[in-house]
Amino acid sequence: MITLRADLHMHTIGSGHAFSTVKEMADAACLKKLDVIAITDHGSAMEGASEAIYFRNLSVFPRSIGSVTVLRGIEANIMDMDATLDADEKQLSRLDWVVASLHENVTPPASPADHTQMYLKLADNPLVDMIGHPDTPAYEFDYERVVREFGAKGKIVEVNNEHAFRHGARNGENCRKIASLCKKYGVRIAVNSDAHIFSNVGVADAALAMLGEIGFPEDLILNASASRVMDYVKNKRLQKEQASS
Ligand SMILES: [Zn+2]
Ligand SMILES: [Zn+2]
C-alpha cells in the first residue's frame, strides 16, 4: 500500500473559487500526517484568480507551518498551443513548484495533433515542474510519444485524484493509460488532491487504488517520500543558482 507524504497541488482563497486559507490547508495536512504541501493557486488568466502581484509576494509564506513544509507554487495556465504560460519567466523562476495545466474555460481545445505538439514544447520549458491533470478528454494527445518526452526532460506527470476520478469515466481511463506509460518508461509521477477546500487535502484514494491495480512502482512516485520531494526542490534551486552565476 502506497502512502503519500506530500500533496503538491491545492488551492486557497487566492484562486477566487476555493475556500480555505494557507494556514487551514497546512493544518489539514498536519492532521493527515503529510510532511510537505505545495500551494498552487491558479494563474491570473483563470477567472477570479489573483493578479501577478499575488505570486510575486509568495515569499512572505513561512517555510513551514507547524510540522508541515510549505512550498511556494502556482498552477499556471497553458494559454495556447505554443505552450505559452500566464506567468513570466521571472515570476516562475522564483517559485519552488510550477504546475502547468490546460483548462477549458481558459484555452479552447484544438486537435489531438496540436495538443501533442503543445505538450512536446511544454516539455522543453525548464521552468515547469509538473504537468497538471493531463487526462482531460477534450485535450487528448499522443500519450506514448509525449510521456516519453516528459521522462526525457525530467517532468513530473500528475495523477490528479479529483480531476481523473470525479469528472467522468473517460478522465479515469486516460489517467490510467498515462500512468501505465509512465510505468513502462520509468517516468516519475506525483499523486495529488487538487483540493479546493481544507477537507480535501491529501485525498487521493481513487488514484492510489488505480496505481495499485496497475502495479505502479513506489519509487517513481515523487510524493511518496518527503525527502524525494525536498531533494527535487533543492536540486532545482541549485541548478538555478548555477545558471545565474
Ligand atoms: Zn487545474
Ligand atoms: Zn488545480
Side-chain angles (χ1 to χ4, degrees):
M1 181 64 192
I2 298 157
T3 350
L4 300 177
R5 308 303 313 172
D7 188 346
L8 301 174
H9 186 160
M10 65 185 66
H11 300 272
T12 72
I13 46 175
S15 280
H17 62 267
F19 305 94
S20 303
T21 63
V22 174
K23 174 76 163 60
E24 288 163 343
M25 298 309 258
D27 288 348
C30 182
L31 283 175
K32 296 201 172 165
K33 309 254 185 294
L34 295 174
D35 301 314
V36 183
I37 57 171
I39 301 291
T40 54
D41 281 312
H42 286 286
S44 313
M46 173 70 69
E47 184 186 356
S50 294
E51 301 291 330
I53 190 171
Y54 176 88
F55 297 97
R56 283 203 294 273
N57 206 31
L58 288 189
S59 57
V60 303
F61 279 19
R63 282 291 177 196
S64 57
I65 297 176
S67 59
V68 178
T69 299
V70 181
L71 299 178
R72 302 157 182 177
I74 187 172
E75 183 180 16
N77 290 288
I78 301 165
M79 301 299 293
D80 53 35
M81 293 302 130
D82 282 325
T84 311
L85 300 179
D86 65 341
D88 63 31
E89 204 178 311
K90 199 172 162 201
Q91 266 175 281
L92 295 177
S93 64
R94 292 166 66 175
L95 299 174
D96 301 319
W97 184 247
V98 174
V99 186
S101 312
L102 283 164
H103 297 104
E104 286 169 77
N105 57 346
V106 176
T107 306
S111 68
D114 289 337
H115 305 149
T116 298
Q117 288 309 316
M118 187 287 291
Y119 275 123
L120 294 173
K121 274 184 204 160
L122 187 69
D124 264 335
N125 187 338
L127 296 166
V128 172
D129 299 302
M130 183 175 79
I131 312 303
H133 50 70
D135 50 83
T136 311
Y139 296 116
E140 282 170 354
F141 54 94
D142 183 340
Y143 295 152
E144 183 106 21
R145 186 168 170 206
V146 170
V147 164
R148 285 168 70 175
E149 186 68 7
F150 285 157
K153 299 287 162 65
K155 299 300 168 214
I156 309 294
V157 176
E158 183 176 45
V159 170
N160 182 310
N161 191 72
E162 172 70 26
H163 203 272
F165 301 100
R166 293 189 190 172
H167 288 258
R170 220 160 116 204
N171 295 58
E173 286 159 23
N174 290 347
C175 182
R176 192 186 185 99
K177 281 183 206 160
I178 293 166
S180 300
L181 288 166
C182 289
K183 178 187 172 190
K184 181 176 170 185
Y185 293 113
V187 179
R188 288 182 299 175
I189 66 166
V191 186
N192 300 313
S193 69
D194 201 356
H196 284 63
I197 191 157
F198 71 92
S199 47
N200 274 346
V201 171
V203 173
D205 314 39
L208 292 174
M210 181 277 287
L211 293 170
E213 281 162 25
I214 65 169
F216 197 90
E218 193 266 359
D219 61 346
L220 286 181
I221 304 175
L222 184 74
N223 58 333
S225 150
S227 60
R228 232 176 260 161
V229 173
M230 295 318 292
D231 285 350
Y232 175 96
V233 173
K234 274 179 213 148
N235 236 332
K236 177 178 145 147
R237 275 185 205 139
L238 213 67
Q239 280 169 9
K240 264 189 292 190
E241 279 166 22
Q242 282 166 353
S244 62
S245 65

